Amino acid sequence: MKRIITATVQNRGGVLNRITGMLNKRQFNIESITVGASEIEGISKMTFVVHISDEQKLEQLTKQLNKQIDVIKVSDITDKAIVARELALIKVGSSGQLRAEIQGIISPFRASIIDVSKDSLSVQVTGKPEKIDALISLLRPYGIKELARTGVTAFLRGQQPRQVTDIQTVYTI
Amino acid sequence: MKGEAEQTTQAVKEVYTGSELLIELLVEENVDIIFGYPGGAVLPLYDALYRSNAPFRHILSRHEQGGIHAAEGYARVTGKPGVVFATSGPGATNLVTGITDAMMDSLPLVIFTGQVSNQVIGTDAFQESDVMGITMPITKYNYQVNDARDLPRIVKEAFHIANTGRPGPVVIDIPKNISESIVYEPGSTTFDLQGYQPTEKPNPLQIVKLGSALSRSQRPLILAGAGVVFANAAAELTQFATMYGVPVVNTLQGLGSFPEENELSLGMGGMHGSYAANMAIQECDLLINVGARFDDRLTGNLKQFAPKAKVAHIDIDPAEIGKNVPTDIPVVADAKEALQALLEINIDKPDTTVWRNKVKENQTAYPYWYEKPSEYLSPQWLMEQIHQRTDGNAIVTTDVGQHQMWAAQYYKFSRPNRWVTSGGLGTMGFGFPAAIGAQLGKPDELVVAIVGDGGFQMTLQELSVVKQHALPIKVIIVNNEVLGMVRQWQESFYEERYSSSLLTANPDFVKLAESYGIRGIRAENEADADRALAEIFASDEAVVADFRVAWREKVNPMVAPGKALHEMLGVKK
Ligand SMILES: Cc1ncc(C[n+]2csc(CCOP(=O)(O)OP(=O)(O)O)c2C)c(N)n1
């Protein structure tokens, strides 16, 4: 199963290394990791998209993340009301004539052309990963010269149907 | 400082360097011994040590691995963090085995490594190694100091992290320019580790759950691990077990947490544990794990482990709960706090008489056994002798191999913190230097190092330290002229193909000891051994004793790899 897990971490030297090292050592299969500043100085937010075989592995993952000294809080937000977004830059081969056609394809995705050259153009798109997947497959016939995706970053929506439980409290009871 | 040569101190404190600050901080942490080895990147530190009159000693090991194993032995018996100094590059990499060993066995260490100067880090400078990268996966936490003013906080944090929660090793890597730099205003020691708040008090609801599971149980069993020892909870454990009539199995590292002479004790469980202990695990209907981590050498085949049991697990490290064995009643807590909480609530006492009788029957019918060979000394007999002649009161360290298992089986412990062995990593070369640390930590206690002739040769250079500091350690070499445990497996599972396991060119251990200025004794038969043992334990000096034992002896009984605990081999003669 695919899970989206966020972690709030103290922004100390090597924190990303520590976490990726642990994930690698314990054989967790990570699809993507994003890291960046949070609303609090010195605190970063990480989002992991992981493939996990079963509940026990999932519990181990959250526990091992929590065990890291720099990790303040871990939440599995997969089943919550969340906003999850990814950004992708897609460079497609394109002569001048095709530009309008491509524009037509990308506009329903609210993507935009951010760079144009003689024989290529670059598209920027943000959204849920599935949306990005869809756009990529539509653009594939034009020849994708380069693709860069950021991985998903996510957090909870302001309004939740029910209370969110963070993992720390789950396993102390 | 009182050190190698009792240097005279001259209080010349014109300037205050990072190194001097560090030494002050170590004094504040009540450090009494540093295990270390100098080199280029720690010259400033060693110079500050020389000039300081701090109330601690520096013990110069003869190899960094020896130093760090000594620090582990010290930590094991004192409960205080072992402190280690080493230089950059090879000094630091020589520590890797010890750091990993401490990580696996949860021993608190604070390790200071020198590093090349900041300006050249990353240039493959002379004796540069990526200590942060190398030690990240084998430490509880690690630091590189970028500003000497941070030292007060970092040192405070490091000692805190090393010796709270589940203990472990912490590395502080200090670039040479930082230890040389002049500190005008050291920062404060206050720290805020939001992400590190070990849960010590158990959740009362879980305690009640455990209590009611116990009252409904007919065949309860306690599995007591090193967590009980670290938490200083042996008294509470004994009280709890006796109050409710619950038999106790110890893990290898948990030996001493429950008195083996107590009638509820089933001794050690696991690969070379007692038949009674392993059968109790397989038969129990409630398994209360207190501070053990369900290591594979304990559980055997996981799929068939404790098949009839509801599992309760008390551990300070939440990540251990449910890691290997699905757990019905998790209790995240310090073992002492959890046991105290259990002692405070009312639990209807289960009637365990039938169960206890059954377990006892196994114990009487299937004790550890051995046959005394006529020609050679029996290693098991030797262990029994050591136990007898020390009244079970010695601090015993072991190396890794057959002798370790025999020591675990035949040296019965009635008190905690007297058993020092490398369990998780199974590090050959651990036992002898660990005894040095144990003896330095407990100068008034009898320390016996039980080692194999293979493993002893991995770190025997530390005999210099024994001599230099006149440590009255008794080194018992269980000399079978083979890598015994390897040979045993080759005999049992590889049709006696003794590939590289015969030690055909051993040194003369007696002469070897003598060349270090230490008394050496050899014993080839029981009469010799009687005399030797009498002399060893009458002596107030160090002795290295070469006991020639039967090389064909095997450790019995055994759970073969991949097998379940009830499928033990060699249960009876
Ligand atoms: C550093 C290290 N290398 C290899 C091993 C694998 N190993 C485990 S037991 C053993 C044999 C130990 O022989 P010895 O020290 O003579 O003790 P004995 O088993 O004979 O009592 C070996 C090689 C190990 N545990 N540690």
Side-chain angles (χ1 to χ4, degrees):
Chain A
M1 56 184 159
K2 187 160 160 173
R3 308 297 296 183
I4 302 176
I5 290 165
T6 59
T8 315
V9 304
Q10 207 147 19
N11 197 2
R12 288 182 162 201
V15 58
L16 184 58
N17 243 347
R18 266 176 224 289
I19 289 173
T20 53
M22 182 281 289
L23 295 172
N24 188 39
K25 162 177 144 177
R26 297 199 183 265
Q27 302 200 305
F28 290 110
N29 189 354
I30 303 298
E31 185 176 294
S32 70
I33 297 183
T34 64
V35 204
S38 74
E39 72 283 5
I40 303 164
E41 205 189 310
I43 304 286
S44 296
K45 195 67 165 258
M46 303 181 78
T47 308
F48 307 85
V49 178
V50 290
H51 289 279
I52 293 270
S53 52
D54 54 53
E55 286 293 333
Q56 189 234 354
K57 263 246 163 200
L58 175 61
E59 186 185 297
Q60 261 300 300
L61 172 63
T62 53
K63 284 178 165 182
Q64 292 294 347
L65 282 170
N66 248 313
K67 185 170 165 173
Q68 295 289 322
I69 306 269
D70 292 331
V71 173
I72 297 167
K73 182 174 168 172
V74 179
S75 312
D76 179 348
I77 61 171
T78 320
D79 304 327
K80 310 291 175 202
I82 58 172
V83 269
R85 294 289 182 270
E86 185 178 9
L87 180 142
L89 300 175
I90 312 163
K91 193 186 285 166
V92 275
S94 149
S95 56
Q97 306 101 293
L98 286 176
R99 198 163 301 152
E101 196 177 320
I102 290 172
Q103 184 67 64
I105 288 171
I106 69 170
S107 64
F109 289 84
R110 280 188 262 162
S112 48
I113 294 173
I114 52 167
D115 181 54
V116 177
S117 75
K118 201 154 83 277
D119 52 6
S120 74
L121 59 80
S122 298
V123 176
Q124 170 194 307
V125 60
T126 49
K128 291 185 185 147
E130 306 80 60
K131 169 179 154 183
I132 293 173
D133 291 342
L135 181 59
I136 289 170
S137 60
L138 286 172
L139 291 176
R140 192 142 277 163
Y142 297 90
I144 292 180
K145 294 184 146 183
E146 207 177 334
L147 172 66
R149 296 176 74 152
T150 57
V152 176
T153 188
F155 60 27
L156 297 171
R157 289 185 183 277
Q159 179 109 30
Q160 286 296 311
R162 56 205 148 90
Q163 190 59 44
V164 191
T165 32
D166 68 282
I167 279 106
Q168 186 94 41
T169 52
V170 171
Y171 61 73
T172 47
I173 44 175
Chain B
M1 109 179 164
K2 287 191 216 76
E4 318 306 336
E6 295 290 331
Q7 293 94 1
T8 47
T9 48
Q10 279 180 326
V12 276
K13 200 167 178 188
E14 291 130 19
V15 288
Y16 193 62
T17 64
S19 299
E20 287 166 344
L21 171 58
L22 177 62
I23 284 164
E24 247 176 45
L25 295 166
L26 295 180
V27 174
E28 272 166 43
E29 293 297 332
N30 292 317
V31 171
D32 54 6
I33 295 180
I34 295 168
F35 299 90
Y37 208 99
V42 282
L43 280 172
L45 211 50
Y46 275 84
D47 191 56
L49 267 182
Y50 189 92
R51 288 183 284 106
S52 143
N53 53 7
F56 48 64
R57 300 163 78 186
H58 176 273
I59 302 294
L60 174 70
S61 63
R62 296 306 190 265
H63 185 300
E64 287 86 352
Q65 185 184 356
I68 191 166
H69 290 329
E72 291 183 81
Y74 170 90
R76 192 15 123 204
V77 299
T78 62
K80 290 169 62 174
V83 178
V84 178
F85 279 10
T87 192
S88 67
T93 55
N94 272 348
L95 295 177
V96 166
T97 302
I99 300 174
T100 315
D101 191 271
M103 184 71 173
M104 294 284 271
D105 284 345
S106 312
L107 292 170
L109 297 183
V110 179
I111 299 142
F112 296 87
T113 50
Q115 182 55 279
V116 299
S117 291
N118 270 160
Q119 305 90 303
V120 295
I121 289 180
T123 66
D124 304 314
F126 177 64
Q127 294 193 328
E128 177 180 1
S129 72
D130 179 8
V131 170
M132 290 300 284
I134 292 168
T135 63
M136 207 168 267
I138 54 169
T139 49
K140 189 167 171 187
Y141 202 64
N142 64 0
Y143 299 84
Q144 191 167 64
V145 184
N146 295 314
D147 185 332
R149 285 173 302 183
D150 296 339
L151 276 168
R153 175 187 56 81
I154 289 177
V155 171
K156 200 83 211 143
E157 267 186 26
F159 277 85
H160 174 72
I161 291 173
N163 211 18
T164 52
R166 177 180 180 174
V170 177
V171 165
I172 303 179
D173 194 38
I174 311 181
K176 189 172 185 181
N177 63 312
I178 301 292
S179 51
E180 275 172 340
S181 68
I182 291 164
V183 196
Y184 295 102
E185 277 174 63
S188 93
T189 54
T190 23
F191 63 82
D192 174 24
L193 292 167
Q194 286 181 62
Y196 180 68
Q197 310 286 336
T199 309
E200 287 174 0
K201 293 241 182 279
N203 183 311
L205 291 174
Q206 294 302 97
I207 291 294
V208 169
K209 254 199 212 168
L210 211 172
S212 65
L214 175 58
S215 64
R216 286 194 309 271
S217 161
Q218 290 170 333
R219 302 185 308 278
L221 182 71
I222 292 169
L223 174 68
V228 178
V229 181
F230 288 123
N232 247 321
E236 286 80 358
L237 177 67
T238 308
Q239 200 185 337
F240 178 68
T242 32
M243 188 155 164
Y244 295 104
V246 187
V248 179
V249 169
N250 275 125
T251 65
L252 175 70
Q253 293 293 7
L255 289 173
S257 65
F258 190 74
E260 290 190 69
E261 70 274 10
N262 188 303
E263 58 167 17
L264 290 166
S265 171
L266 300 178
M268 180 172 72
M271 184 172 268
H272 293 296
S274 75
Y275 178 78
N278 285 345
M279 288 312 287
I281 292 175
Q282 297 303 78
E283 289 297 323
C284 68
D285 67 359
L286 174 67
L287 181 62
I288 307 173
N289 173 342
V290 192
R293 65 184 176 86
F294 287 130
D295 171 68
D296 54 87
R297 292 282 148 133
L298 182 277
T299 62
N301 188 325
L302 266 182
K303 287 201 191 80
Q304 300 176 63
F305 175 75
K308 302 171 183 167
K310 186 173 209 163
V311 175
H313 188 169
I314 299 169
D315 207 303
I316 189 113
D317 179 359
E320 287 303 340
I321 300 176
K323 186 179 80 179
N324 296 335
V325 173
T327 301
D328 306 287
I329 309 171
V331 182
V332 179
D334 174 81
K336 194 183 190 90
E337 300 269 1
L339 287 164
Q340 278 171 346
L342 281 166
L343 286 167
E344 274 160 26
I345 61 166
N346 283 323
I347 302 172
D348 291 333
K349 190 174 166 178
D351 182 1
T352 61
T353 328
V354 179
W355 168 237
R356 272 183 291 151
N357 288 343
K358 187 172 172 199
V359 161
K360 267 277 153 295
E361 264 167 43
N362 272 340
Q363 209 174 10
T364 328
Y366 306 101
Y368 292 128
W369 65 273
Y370 63 91
E371 272 164 342
K372 274 211 256 175
S374 49
E375 258 180 277
Y376 293 99
L377 267 173
S378 146
Q380 298 94 331
W381 173 86
L382 180 62
M383 298 299 139
E384 285 181 327
Q385 287 294 315
I386 296 170
H387 179 251
Q388 244 175 47
R389 289 167 191 262
T390 58
D391 295 326
N393 272 326
I395 289 176
V396 177
T397 77
T398 78
D399 213 70
V400 170
Q402 292 183 309
H403 65 278
Q404 175 189 34
M405 293 298 117
W406 287 319
Q409 292 177 339
Y410 292 97
Y411 200 100
K412 311 278 182 208
F413 290 92
S414 39
R415 287 186 288 157
N417 295 313
R418 320 189 69 73
W419 170 240
V420 186
T421 198
S422 168
L425 198 63
T427 307
M428 279 172 76
F430 171 87
F432 168 52
I436 294 178
Q439 186 74 80
L440 285 160
K442 295 277 180 191
D444 301 326
E445 303 269 0
L446 172 62
V447 176
V448 180
I450 298 174
V451 299
D453 49 318
F456 184 49
Q457 292 185 66
M458 287 200 173
T459 45
L460 61 73
Q461 73 285 341
E462 303 300 320
L463 283 168
S464 295
V465 182
V466 169
K467 177 66 190 171
Q468 184 180 355
H469 299 280
L471 303 174
I473 296 169
K474 318 301 178 206
V475 181
I476 309 284
I477 307 172
V478 183
N479 186 354
N480 46 14
E481 298 194 302
V482 285
L483 298 173
M485 191 55 98
V486 170
R487 191 208 63 78
Q488 174 170 349
W489 283 53
Q490 289 171 336
E491 179 184 328
S492 302
F493 311 120
Y494 296 88
E495 296 169 323
E496 301 194 40
R497 287 186 295 277
Y498 296 138
S499 180
S500 295
S501 57
L502 309 179
L503 294 174
T504 42
N506 270 344
D508 179 332
F509 287 111
V510 172
K511 282 193 187 148
L512 183 85
E514 284 166 1
S515 77
Y516 282 95
I518 295 170
R519 174 97 174 91
I521 303 182
R522 178 166 301 118
E524 317 223 0
N525 52 43
E526 251 179 53
D528 282 2
D530 264 329
R531 248 174 286 133
L533 288 165
E535 185 178 333
I536 291 166
F537 295 117
S539 165
D540 51 9
E541 290 186 348
V543 180
V544 172
D546 178 15
F547 287 93
R548 296 303 181 85
V549 301
W551 70 277
R552 266 198 166 278
E553 275 308 295
K554 287 197 282 189
V555 182
N556 280 313
M558 178 181 196
V559 178
K563 297 290 186 195
L565 290 185
H566 58 271
E567 301 172 288
M568 290 195 96
L569 307 171
V571 175
K572 278 218 144 190
K573 265 182 220 183

